[in-house]
Coordinates of all heavy atoms in Angstrom, one line a residue:
M1 N -11.8 -159.2 -32.9 CA -11.5 -158.7 -31.5 C -10.8 -159.8 -30.8 O -11.2 -160.9 -30.7 CB -12.9 -158.4 -30.8 CG -12.7 -158.0 -29.4 SD -14.3 -157.6 -28.6 CE -14.9 -156.2 -29.5
N2 N -9.7 -159.4 -30.2 CA -8.9 -160.4 -29.4 C -9.4 -160.6 -28.0 O -10.3 -159.9 -27.6 CB -7.4 -160.1 -29.5 CG -7.1 -158.7 -28.8 OD1 -7.9 -158.3 -28.0 ND2 -6.0 -158.1 -29.2
A3 N -8.8 -161.5 -27.3 CA -9.3 -161.9 -26.0 C -9.1 -160.7 -25.0 O -9.9 -160.5 -24.1 CB -8.6 -163.1 -25.5
A4 N -8.0 -160.0 -25.1 CA -7.8 -158.8 -24.2 C -8.8 -157.7 -24.4 O -9.3 -157.2 -23.4 CB -6.4 -158.3 -24.5
E5 N -9.2 -157.5 -25.6 CA -10.2 -156.5 -25.8 C -11.6 -156.9 -25.3 O -12.3 -156.1 -24.7 CB -10.4 -156.2 -27.3 CG -9.2 -155.4 -27.9 CD -9.3 -155.2 -29.4 OE1 -10.1 -155.9 -30.0 OE2 -8.6 -154.4 -30.0
R6 N -11.9 -158.2 -25.5 CA -13.2 -158.7 -24.9 C -13.2 -158.7 -23.4 O -14.2 -158.3 -22.8 CB -13.4 -160.2 -25.4 CG -13.6 -160.3 -26.8 CD -13.9 -161.8 -27.2 NE -15.1 -162.3 -26.6 CZ -16.3 -162.1 -27.1 NH1 -16.5 -161.4 -28.1 NH2 -17.4 -162.7 -26.5
R7 N -12.0 -159.0 -22.8 CA -11.9 -158.9 -21.4 C -12.1 -157.5 -20.8 O -12.8 -157.2 -19.9 CB -10.6 -159.5 -20.9 CG -10.5 -159.8 -19.4 CD -9.2 -160.5 -19.0 NE -8.4 -161.0 -20.2 CZ -7.2 -160.5 -20.5 NH1 -6.7 -159.5 -19.9 NH2 -6.5 -161.0 -21.5
N8 N -11.5 -156.6 -21.6 CA -11.6 -155.1 -21.2 C -13.0 -154.6 -21.3 O -13.5 -153.9 -20.4 CB -10.6 -154.3 -22.0 CG -9.2 -154.5 -21.6 OD1 -8.9 -154.9 -20.5 ND2 -8.3 -154.1 -22.5
L9 N -13.7 -155.0 -22.4 CA -15.1 -154.6 -22.6 C -16.0 -155.2 -21.5 O -16.9 -154.6 -21.0 CB -15.6 -154.9 -24.0 CG -15.2 -154.0 -25.1 CD1 -15.7 -154.5 -26.4 CD2 -15.8 -152.6 -24.8
S10 N -15.7 -156.5 -21.2 CA -16.5 -157.1 -20.2 C -16.3 -156.5 -18.8 O -17.3 -156.3 -18.1 CB -16.1 -158.6 -20.1 OG -16.8 -159.3 -19.1
N11 N -15.1 -156.2 -18.5 CA -14.7 -155.5 -17.3 C -15.4 -154.1 -17.2 O -15.9 -153.7 -16.1 CB -13.2 -155.4 -17.1 CG -12.9 -155.0 -15.7 OD1 -13.6 -155.2 -14.7 ND2 -11.7 -154.3 -15.6
E12 N -15.4 -153.4 -18.3 CA -16.0 -152.1 -18.4 C -17.5 -152.2 -18.1 O -18.1 -151.4 -17.4 CB -15.7 -151.4 -19.7 CG -16.3 -150.1 -19.9 CD -15.8 -149.0 -19.0 OE1 -14.6 -149.2 -18.5 OE2 -16.5 -148.1 -18.7
A13 N -18.2 -153.2 -18.7 CA -19.6 -153.3 -18.5 C -19.9 -153.7 -17.1 O -20.9 -153.1 -16.5 CB -20.1 -154.4 -19.5
R14 N -19.1 -154.5 -16.5 CA -19.3 -154.9 -15.1 C -19.1 -153.7 -14.2 O -19.9 -153.5 -13.2 CB -18.3 -156.0 -14.7 CG -18.6 -156.6 -13.3 CD -17.7 -157.8 -13.0 NE -17.2 -158.6 -14.1 CZ -16.0 -158.6 -14.6 NH1 -15.1 -157.8 -14.1 NH2 -15.6 -159.3 -15.6
M15 N -18.1 -152.8 -14.4 CA -17.9 -151.7 -13.6 C -19.1 -150.7 -13.8 O -19.5 -150.0 -12.8 CB -16.6 -151.0 -13.9 CG -15.4 -151.8 -13.5 SD -13.8 -150.9 -13.6 CE -13.8 -150.4 -15.3
Q16 N -19.6 -150.5 -15.0 CA -20.7 -149.6 -15.2 C -21.9 -150.1 -14.6 O -22.7 -149.3 -14.1 CB -20.9 -149.4 -16.7 CG -19.8 -148.5 -17.3 CD -20.1 -148.1 -18.8 OE1 -21.3 -148.2 -19.2 NE2 -19.1 -147.6 -19.5
I17 N -22.2 -151.4 -14.6 CA -23.3 -151.9 -13.9 C -23.3 -151.6 -12.4 O -24.3 -151.2 -11.7 CB -23.5 -153.4 -14.2 CG1 -23.9 -153.6 -15.6 CG2 -24.5 -154.1 -13.2 CD1 -23.9 -155.1 -16.1
T18 N -22.1 -151.8 -11.8 CA -21.9 -151.5 -10.4 C -22.2 -150.0 -10.1 O -22.8 -149.6 -9.1 CB -20.5 -151.8 -9.9 OG1 -20.2 -153.2 -10.2 CG2 -20.3 -151.6 -8.5
A19 N -21.7 -149.1 -11.0 CA -21.9 -147.7 -10.8 C -23.4 -147.3 -11.0 O -23.9 -146.5 -10.3 CB -21.1 -146.9 -11.9
L20 N -24.1 -148.0 -11.9 CA -25.5 -147.8 -12.1 C -26.3 -148.2 -10.8 O -27.3 -147.5 -10.5 CB -26.0 -148.5 -13.3 CG -25.6 -148.0 -14.7 CD1 -26.1 -148.9 -15.8 CD2 -26.2 -146.6 -14.9
K21 N -25.9 -149.2 -10.2 CA -26.6 -149.6 -8.9 C -26.4 -148.5 -7.9 O -27.3 -148.2 -7.1 CB -26.0 -150.9 -8.4 CG -26.4 -152.1 -9.3 CD -25.9 -153.4 -8.8 CE -26.2 -154.6 -9.7 NZ -25.6 -155.8 -9.2
R22 N -25.2 -148.0 -7.8 CA -25.0 -146.9 -6.8 C -25.8 -145.7 -7.1 O -26.4 -145.0 -6.3 CB -23.5 -146.5 -6.8 CG -22.6 -147.4 -6.0 CD -21.3 -146.8 -5.8 NE -20.3 -147.9 -5.6 CZ -19.2 -148.0 -6.3 NH1 -18.9 -147.2 -7.3 NH2 -18.5 -149.1 -6.1
I23 N -25.8 -145.3 -8.4 CA -26.6 -144.1 -8.8 C -28.1 -144.4 -8.5 O -28.8 -143.5 -8.1 CB -26.4 -143.8 -10.3 CG1 -25.0 -143.4 -10.5 CG2 -27.4 -142.8 -10.8 CD1 -24.6 -143.2 -12.0
Y24 N -28.6 -145.6 -8.8 CA -30.0 -146.0 -8.5 C -30.3 -145.8 -7.0 O -31.3 -145.3 -6.6 CB -30.2 -147.4 -8.9 CG -31.7 -147.8 -8.8 CD1 -32.6 -147.4 -9.7 CD2 -32.1 -148.6 -7.7 CE1 -34.0 -147.8 -9.5 CE2 -33.4 -148.9 -7.5 CZ -34.3 -148.6 -8.4 OH -35.6 -148.9 -8.3
H25 N -29.4 -146.2 -6.1 CA -29.5 -146.0 -4.7 C -29.6 -144.6 -4.3 O -30.4 -144.2 -3.4 CB -28.5 -146.8 -3.9 CG -28.6 -148.3 -4.0 ND1 -29.7 -148.9 -3.6 CD2 -27.7 -149.2 -4.4 CE1 -29.6 -150.2 -3.7 NE2 -28.4 -150.4 -4.3
W26 N -28.7 -143.8 -4.9 CA -28.7 -142.3 -4.6 C -30.1 -141.7 -5.1 O -30.6 -140.8 -4.4 CB -27.6 -141.6 -5.3 CG -26.3 -141.7 -4.6 CD1 -25.2 -142.6 -4.8 CD2 -25.9 -141.0 -3.4 NE1 -24.3 -142.4 -3.9 CE2 -24.7 -141.5 -3.0 CE3 -26.6 -140.1 -2.6 CZ2 -24.0 -141.0 -1.8 CZ3 -26.0 -139.6 -1.5 CH2 -24.7 -140.0 -1.1
R27 N -30.6 -142.2 -6.2 CA -31.9 -141.7 -6.7 C -33.0 -142.0 -5.7 O -33.8 -141.2 -5.3 CB -32.2 -142.2 -8.0 CG -33.5 -141.6 -8.6 CD -34.0 -142.4 -9.8 NE -34.5 -143.7 -9.3 CZ -35.1 -144.5 -10.1 NH1 -35.2 -144.3 -11.4 NH2 -35.6 -145.6 -9.6
T28 N -33.0 -143.2 -5.1 CA -33.9 -143.6 -4.2 C -33.8 -142.8 -2.9 O -34.8 -142.4 -2.3 CB -33.8 -145.1 -3.8 OG1 -33.9 -145.9 -5.0 CG2 -34.8 -145.6 -2.9
A29 N -32.6 -142.5 -2.5 CA -32.4 -141.7 -1.3 C -32.9 -140.3 -1.5 O -33.5 -139.7 -0.6 CB -30.9 -141.7 -0.9
S30 N -32.7 -139.8 -2.7 CA -33.1 -138.4 -3.0 C -34.7 -138.3 -3.0 O -35.2 -137.4 -2.5 CB -32.7 -138.0 -4.4 OG -33.2 -136.8 -4.8
L31 N -35.3 -139.4 -3.5 CA -36.8 -139.4 -3.4 C -37.3 -139.5 -1.9 O -38.3 -138.9 -1.5 CB -37.3 -140.5 -4.2 CG -37.2 -140.3 -5.7 CD1 -37.7 -141.6 -6.5 CD2 -38.0 -139.1 -6.2
A32 N -36.5 -140.3 -1.1 CA -36.9 -140.4 0.3 C -36.7 -139.0 1.0 O -37.6 -138.7 1.8 CB -36.0 -141.5 1.0
I33 N -35.7 -138.3 0.7 CA -35.5 -137.0 1.3 C -36.5 -136.0 0.9 O -37.0 -135.2 1.6 CB -34.0 -136.5 1.0 CG1 -33.0 -137.4 1.7 CG2 -33.9 -135.1 1.5 CD1 -31.6 -137.1 1.3
S34 N -37.0 -136.2 -0.4 CA -38.1 -135.4 -0.9 C -39.3 -135.6 -0.1 O -40.1 -134.7 0.2 CB -38.3 -135.7 -2.4 OG -39.4 -135.0 -2.9
A35 N -39.6 -136.9 0.3 CA -40.7 -137.2 1.1 C -40.6 -136.5 2.5 O -41.6 -136.1 3.1 CB -40.9 -138.7 1.3
I36 N -39.4 -136.4 3.0 CA -39.2 -135.7 4.3 C -39.5 -134.2 4.1 O -40.1 -133.6 5.0 CB -37.8 -135.9 4.8 CG1 -37.6 -137.4 5.2 CG2 -37.5 -135.0 6.0 CD1 -36.1 -137.8 5.5
G37 N -39.2 -133.7 2.9 CA -39.6 -132.3 2.6 C -41.1 -132.1 2.6 O -41.6 -131.1 3.0
V38 N -41.8 -133.1 2.1 CA -43.3 -133.0 2.1 C -43.8 -133.0 3.5 O -44.7 -132.2 3.9 CB -43.9 -134.2 1.3 CG1 -45.4 -134.3 1.5 CG2 -43.5 -134.1 -0.1
A39 N -43.2 -133.8 4.4 CA -43.6 -133.8 5.8 C -43.3 -132.4 6.5 O -44.1 -131.9 7.3 CB -42.9 -134.9 6.5
L40 N -42.1 -131.9 6.2 CA -41.8 -130.6 6.7 C -42.7 -129.5 6.3 O -43.1 -128.6 7.0 CB -40.3 -130.2 6.4 CG -39.2 -130.9 7.1 CD1 -37.9 -130.5 6.5 CD2 -39.3 -130.5 8.6
T41 N -43.1 -129.5 5.0 CA -44.0 -128.6 4.4 C -45.3 -128.7 5.1 O -46.0 -127.7 5.5 CB -44.1 -128.7 2.9 OG1 -42.8 -128.6 2.3 CG2 -45.0 -127.7 2.3
Y42 N -45.8 -129.9 5.3 CA -47.1 -130.1 5.9 C -47.1 -129.6 7.3 O -48.0 -129.0 7.8 CB -47.5 -131.6 5.8 CG -48.8 -131.9 6.5 CD1 -50.0 -131.5 5.8 CD2 -48.9 -132.4 7.7 CE1 -51.2 -131.8 6.4 CE2 -50.1 -132.7 8.3 CZ -51.3 -132.3 7.7 OH -52.5 -132.6 8.3
A43 N -46.0 -129.9 8.1 CA -45.9 -129.5 9.5 C -45.8 -128.0 9.6 O -46.3 -127.4 10.5 CB -44.7 -130.2 10.1
G44 N -45.2 -127.4 8.6 CA -45.1 -125.9 8.7 C -46.3 -125.2 8.3 O -46.6 -124.1 8.7
M45 N -47.1 -125.7 7.4 CA -48.2 -125.0 6.8 C -49.6 -125.4 7.4 O -50.6 -124.7 7.2 CB -48.3 -125.2 5.3 CG -47.0 -124.6 4.6 SD -46.9 -122.9 4.8 CE -45.5 -122.5 3.9
A46 N -49.7 -126.6 8.0 CA -51.0 -127.1 8.5 C -51.2 -126.5 9.9 O -50.3 -126.2 10.6 CB -51.0 -128.6 8.5
G47 N -52.5 -126.5 10.2 CA -52.9 -126.0 11.6 C -53.0 -124.5 11.7 O -52.7 -123.8 10.8
A48 N -53.4 -124.1 12.9 CA -53.6 -122.7 13.2 C -52.2 -122.0 13.4 O -52.1 -120.8 13.1 CB -54.5 -122.6 14.4
N49 N -51.3 -122.7 14.0 CA -50.0 -122.2 14.2 C -49.0 -122.5 13.1 O -48.4 -123.5 13.0 CB -49.4 -122.8 15.5 CG -48.8 -121.7 16.4 OD1 -48.8 -120.6 16.1 ND2 -48.4 -122.2 17.6
R50 N -48.9 -121.6 12.1 CA -48.1 -121.8 10.9 C -46.6 -121.4 11.2 O -46.4 -120.3 11.7 CB -48.6 -121.1 9.7 CG -50.0 -121.6 9.3 CD -50.3 -121.3 7.9 NE -51.5 -122.0 7.6 CZ -52.5 -121.5 6.9 NH1 -52.4 -120.3 6.4 NH2 -53.6 -122.3 6.6
N51 N -45.7 -122.3 10.8 CA -44.3 -122.0 10.9 C -43.8 -121.8 9.5 O -43.6 -122.8 8.7 CB -43.6 -123.1 11.6 CG -42.2 -122.8 11.9 OD1 -41.6 -121.9 11.3 ND2 -41.6 -123.6 12.8
L52 N -43.6 -120.6 9.1 CA -43.1 -120.3 7.7 C -41.8 -120.8 7.4 O -41.5 -121.3 6.2 CB -43.1 -118.8 7.5 CG -43.1 -118.3 6.1 CD1 -44.3 -118.8 5.3 CD2 -43.2 -116.8 6.0
F53 N -40.9 -120.9 8.3 CA -39.5 -121.4 8.1 C -39.6 -122.9 7.7 O -39.0 -123.3 6.8 CB -38.7 -121.3 9.4 CG -37.3 -121.9 9.2 CD1 -36.3 -121.3 8.4 CD2 -37.0 -123.1 9.9 CE1 -35.1 -121.9 8.3 CE2 -35.8 -123.7 9.7 CZ -34.8 -123.1 8.9
L54 N -40.4 -123.7 8.4 CA -40.5 -125.1 8.1 C -41.2 -125.3 6.7 O -40.8 -126.2 5.9 CB -41.4 -125.9 9.1 CG -40.7 -126.3 10.4 CD1 -41.7 -127.0 11.3 CD2 -39.6 -127.3 10.1
G55 N -42.2 -124.5 6.4 CA -42.9 -124.6 5.1 C -42.0 -124.3 4.0 O -41.9 -125.1 3.0
I56 N -41.2 -123.2 4.1 CA -40.3 -122.8 3.0 C -39.2 -123.8 2.8 O -38.8 -124.2 1.7 CB -39.9 -121.4 3.2 CG1 -41.0 -120.4 3.0 CG2 -38.7 -121.0 2.2 CD1 -40.7 -119.0 3.3
S57 N -38.6 -124.2 4.0 CA -37.5 -125.2 3.9 C -37.9 -126.5 3.3 O -37.2 -127.1 2.5 CB -36.8 -125.3 5.2 OG -37.7 -125.9 6.2
G58 N -39.2 -126.9 3.6 CA -39.7 -128.2 3.1 C -39.9 -128.1 1.6 O -39.5 -129.0 0.8
I59 N -40.4 -126.9 1.1 CA -40.6 -126.7 -0.3 C -39.2 -126.7 -1.1 O -39.1 -127.3 -2.1 CB -41.4 -125.4 -0.6 CG1 -42.8 -125.6 -0.1 CG2 -41.3 -125.1 -2.1 CD1 -43.6 -124.4 -0.1
I60 N -38.2 -126.1 -0.5 CA -36.9 -126.1 -1.1 C -36.3 -127.5 -1.2 O -35.7 -127.9 -2.2 CB -36.0 -125.1 -0.3 CG1 -36.4 -123.7 -0.5 CG2 -34.5 -125.3 -0.7 CD1 -35.7 -122.7 0.4
I61 N -36.5 -128.3 -0.1 CA -36.0 -129.6 -0.1 C -36.7 -130.5 -1.2 O -36.1 -131.2 -1.9 CB -36.2 -130.3 1.3 CG1 -35.2 -129.6 2.3 CG2 -36.0 -131.8 1.3 CD1 -35.4 -130.0 3.7
I62 N -38.0 -130.3 -1.3 CA -38.8 -131.0 -2.3 C -38.2 -130.7 -3.7 O -38.0 -131.6 -4.5 CB -40.3 -130.7 -2.2 CG1 -40.9 -131.3 -0.9 CG2 -41.0 -131.3 -3.4 CD1 -42.3 -130.7 -0.7
V63 N -38.1 -129.4 -4.0 CA -37.6 -129.0 -5.3 C -36.2 -129.5 -5.6 O -36.0 -130.1 -6.7 CB -37.7 -127.5 -5.5 CG1 -37.0 -127.0 -6.8 CG2 -39.2 -127.0 -5.4
L64 N -35.3 -129.3 -4.7 CA -33.9 -129.8 -4.9 C -33.8 -131.3 -5.1 O -33.1 -131.8 -6.0 CB -33.0 -129.3 -3.8 CG -32.8 -127.8 -3.8 CD1 -31.9 -127.4 -2.5 CD2 -32.1 -127.3 -5.0
C65 N -34.5 -132.0 -4.2 CA -34.4 -133.5 -4.3 C -35.1 -134.0 -5.5 O -34.6 -135.0 -6.1 CB -34.9 -134.1 -3.0 SG -33.9 -133.8 -1.6
T66 N -36.2 -133.4 -6.0 CA -36.8 -133.8 -7.2 C -36.0 -133.6 -8.4 O -35.8 -134.5 -9.3 CB -38.2 -133.1 -7.3 OG1 -39.0 -133.4 -6.2 CG2 -38.9 -133.6 -8.6
I67 N -35.3 -132.4 -8.5 CA -34.4 -132.2 -9.6 C -33.2 -133.1 -9.6 O -32.8 -133.7 -10.6 CB -33.9 -130.7 -9.5 CG1 -35.1 -129.8 -9.8 CG2 -32.8 -130.5 -10.5 CD1 -34.8 -128.3 -9.6
T68 N -32.7 -133.4 -8.4 CA -31.6 -134.4 -8.3 C -32.0 -135.8 -8.7 O -31.3 -136.4 -9.5 CB -31.1 -134.4 -6.8 OG1 -30.7 -133.1 -6.4 CG2 -30.0 -135.4 -6.7
A69 N -33.2 -136.2 -8.3 CA -33.7 -137.5 -8.7 C -33.9 -137.6 -10.3 O -33.6 -138.6 -10.9 CB -35.0 -137.8 -8.0
I70 N -34.4 -136.5 -10.9 CA -34.6 -136.5 -12.3 C -33.2 -136.6 -13.0 O -33.1 -137.4 -14.0 CB -35.3 -135.2 -12.8 CG1 -36.8 -135.3 -12.3 CG2 -35.2 -135.0 -14.3 CD1 -37.5 -133.9 -12.5
I71 N -32.2 -135.9 -12.6 CA -30.9 -136.0 -13.2 C -30.3 -137.4 -13.0 O -29.7 -137.9 -13.9 CB -30.0 -134.9 -12.6 CG1 -30.5 -133.5 -13.0 CG2 -28.5 -135.1 -13.0 CD1 -29.8 -132.4 -12.3
L72 N -30.4 -137.9 -11.8 CA -29.9 -139.3 -11.5 C -30.6 -140.3 -12.4 O -30.0 -141.3 -12.9 CB -30.0 -139.6 -10.1 CG -29.1 -138.8 -9.1 CD1 -29.4 -139.1 -7.7 CD2 -27.6 -139.1 -9.5
N73 N -31.9 -140.1 -12.6 CA -32.7 -141.1 -13.4 C -32.2 -141.0 -14.9 O -32.1 -142.0 -15.5 CB -34.2 -140.7 -13.3 CG -35.0 -141.8 -14.0 OD1 -34.8 -143.0 -13.7 ND2 -36.0 -141.4 -14.8
L74 N -31.9 -139.8 -15.3 CA -31.4 -139.6 -16.7 C -30.0 -140.4 -16.8 O -29.8 -141.0 -17.8 CB -31.2 -138.2 -17.0 CG -30.6 -137.8 -18.4 CD1 -31.6 -138.2 -19.4 CD2 -30.3 -136.3 -18.4
G75 N -29.2 -140.3 -15.8 CA -27.9 -141.0 -15.7 C -28.1 -142.5 -15.8 O -27.4 -143.2 -16.5
V76 N -29.0 -143.0 -15.0 CA -29.3 -144.4 -15.0 C -29.8 -144.9 -16.4 O -29.3 -145.9 -16.9 CB -30.3 -144.8 -13.9 CG1 -30.8 -146.2 -14.1 CG2 -29.7 -144.6 -12.5
R77 N -30.7 -144.1 -16.9 CA -31.2 -144.5 -18.3 C -30.1 -144.5 -19.3 O -30.0 -145.5 -20.1 CB -32.4 -143.6 -18.6 CG -33.1 -144.0 -19.9 CD -34.3 -143.1 -20.2 NE -33.8 -141.7 -20.2 CZ -34.6 -140.7 -20.4 NH1 -35.8 -140.8 -20.5 NH2 -34.1 -139.5 -20.4
N78 N -29.3 -143.5 -19.4 CA -28.2 -143.4 -20.4 C -27.2 -144.5 -20.1 O -26.6 -145.1 -21.0 CB -27.6 -142.0 -20.4 CG -28.6 -141.0 -21.0 OD1 -29.5 -141.3 -21.7 ND2 -28.3 -139.8 -20.7
G79 N -26.9 -144.7 -18.8 CA -25.9 -145.8 -18.5 C -26.4 -147.2 -18.9 O -25.6 -148.0 -19.4
K80 N -27.7 -147.4 -18.7 CA -28.2 -148.7 -19.2 C -28.1 -148.9 -20.7 O -27.7 -150.0 -21.1 CB -29.7 -148.9 -18.7 CG -29.8 -149.2 -17.3 CD -31.3 -149.4 -17.0 CE -31.5 -149.7 -15.5 NZ -33.0 -149.9 -15.2
R81 N -28.3 -147.8 -21.4 CA -28.2 -147.9 -22.8 C -26.7 -148.2 -23.2 O -26.4 -148.9 -24.1 CB -28.6 -146.6 -23.5 CG -30.1 -146.4 -23.5 CD -30.4 -145.1 -24.3 NE -31.8 -144.7 -24.0 CZ -32.2 -143.5 -24.0 NH1 -31.4 -142.5 -24.4 NH2 -33.4 -143.2 -23.8
N82 N -25.8 -147.5 -22.5 CA -24.4 -147.7 -22.8 C -23.9 -149.2 -22.5 O -23.2 -149.8 -23.3 CB -23.6 -146.7 -22.0 CG -22.1 -146.7 -22.4 OD1 -21.8 -146.9 -23.6 ND2 -21.2 -146.4 -21.5
V83 N -24.4 -149.7 -21.4 CA -24.1 -151.1 -21.1 C -24.7 -152.0 -22.1 O -24.0 -153.0 -22.6 CB -24.6 -151.5 -19.7 CG1 -24.5 -153.0 -19.4 CG2 -23.8 -150.7 -18.6
E84 N -25.9 -151.8 -22.6 CA -26.5 -152.6 -23.6 C -25.7 -152.6 -24.9 O -25.5 -153.6 -25.6 CB -27.9 -152.2 -23.9 CG -28.9 -152.5 -22.8 CD -30.3 -151.9 -23.0 OE1 -30.5 -151.3 -24.1 OE2 -31.1 -152.1 -22.2
K85 N -25.1 -151.4 -25.3 CA -24.3 -151.3 -26.5 C -23.0 -152.1 -26.3 O -22.6 -152.7 -27.2 CB -24.0 -149.8 -26.7 CG -25.1 -149.0 -27.2 CD -24.7 -147.5 -27.5 CE -25.9 -146.7 -27.9 NZ -25.6 -145.3 -28.0
I86 N -22.4 -152.0 -25.1 CA -21.2 -152.8 -24.9 C -21.5 -154.3 -25.0 O -20.7 -155.0 -25.6 CB -20.6 -152.4 -23.5 CG1 -20.0 -151.0 -23.5 CG2 -19.5 -153.4 -23.1 CD1 -19.6 -150.5 -22.1
L87 N -22.6 -154.7 -24.4 CA -22.9 -156.1 -24.5 C -23.3 -156.6 -25.9 O -22.9 -157.7 -26.3 CB -24.1 -156.4 -23.5 CG -23.7 -156.2 -22.0 CD1 -25.0 -156.5 -21.2 CD2 -22.6 -157.1 -21.6
D88 N -23.9 -155.7 -26.6 CA -24.2 -156.0 -28.0 C -22.9 -156.2 -28.8 O -22.8 -157.1 -29.7 CB -25.0 -154.9 -28.7 CG -26.5 -155.0 -28.2 OD1 -26.9 -156.0 -27.7 OD2 -27.2 -153.9 -28.4
I89 N -21.9 -155.3 -28.6 CA -20.6 -155.4 -29.2 C -19.9 -156.8 -28.9 O -19.4 -157.4 -29.7 CB -19.7 -154.2 -28.8 CG1 -20.2 -153.0 -29.5 CG2 -18.2 -154.5 -29.3 CD1 -19.5 -151.7 -29.0
L90 N -20.0 -157.1 -27.6 CA -19.4 -158.4 -27.2 C -20.1 -159.6 -27.8 O -19.5 -160.6 -28.2 CB -19.5 -158.5 -25.7 CG -18.5 -157.7 -24.9 CD1 -18.8 -157.8 -23.4 CD2 -17.1 -158.1 -25.2
E91 N -21.4 -159.5 -28.0 CA -22.2 -160.6 -28.6 C -21.9 -160.8 -30.1 O -21.8 -161.9 -30.6 CB -23.7 -160.5 -28.4 CG -24.1 -160.7 -27.0 CD -25.6 -160.5 -26.8 OE1 -26.3 -160.2 -27.8 OE2 -26.1 -160.6 -25.7
L92 N -21.7 -159.6 -30.8 CA -21.5 -159.7 -32.2 C -20.1 -160.2 -32.6 O -19.9 -160.8 -33.6 CB -21.7 -158.3 -32.8 CG -23.1 -157.8 -32.8 CD1 -23.1 -156.4 -33.4 CD2 -24.0 -158.7 -33.6
K93 N -19.1 -160.0 -31.8 CA -17.8 -160.3 -32.1 C -17.3 -161.5 -31.4 O -17.5 -161.9 -30.4 CB -16.8 -159.1 -32.0 CG -17.2 -158.0 -32.9 CD -16.3 -156.9 -32.8 CE -16.8 -155.8 -33.7 NZ -15.9 -154.7 -33.8

């Protein structure tokens, strides 16, 4: 492997690590919004005066954000594996 290929692989690994950090932040934001959905659901369903709109919208937010967080977590996990493979290739050659 020549120097240009090593430089390209190193640059690719660095860019993927940056992208993984962004995805990780989006996953954290998705989980935070899911917590807001829990609060909405509680506010809509608790007490004598029930607000069905708040309860249902909270449940929808929880489900969508949880699914989003699962997908983003899968992306982070696969991305880390990819970066490890790139770094292994750089170490071997």
Side-chain angles (χ1 to χ4, degrees):
M1 175 180 298
N2 61 22
E5 289 174 346
R6 291 182 66 80
R7 192 172 353 107
N8 287 339
L9 279 177
S10 176
N11 189 30
E12 179 67 26
R14 191 176 326 106
M15 288 189 306
Q16 285 190 16
I17 290 171
T18 304
L20 286 173
K21 288 178 185 177
R22 279 193 208 123
I23 294 171
Y24 184 80
H25 289 302
W26 278 104
R27 185 191 74 174
T28 304
S30 177
L31 290 174
I33 294 170
S34 174
I36 293 170
V38 170
L40 283 175
T41 303
Y42 180 76
M45 298 297 184
N49 226 359
R50 293 200 171 140
N51 187 344
L52 197 57
F53 176 73
L54 277 178
I56 292 174
S57 63
I59 291 170
I60 291 171
I61 289 172
I62 292 169
V63 169
L64 290 178
C65 288
T66 303
I67 291 171
T68 302
I70 290 169
I71 292 170
L72 291 173
N73 191 48
L74 181 67
V76 168
R77 188 176 52 184
N78 290 340
K80 283 182 181 180
R81 286 184 197 155
N82 192 31
V83 169
E84 288 173 3
K85 287 179 185 178
I86 291 173
L87 294 177
D88 285 344
I89 289 172
L90 285 174
E91 287 178 4
L92 292 175
K93 297 183 179 184

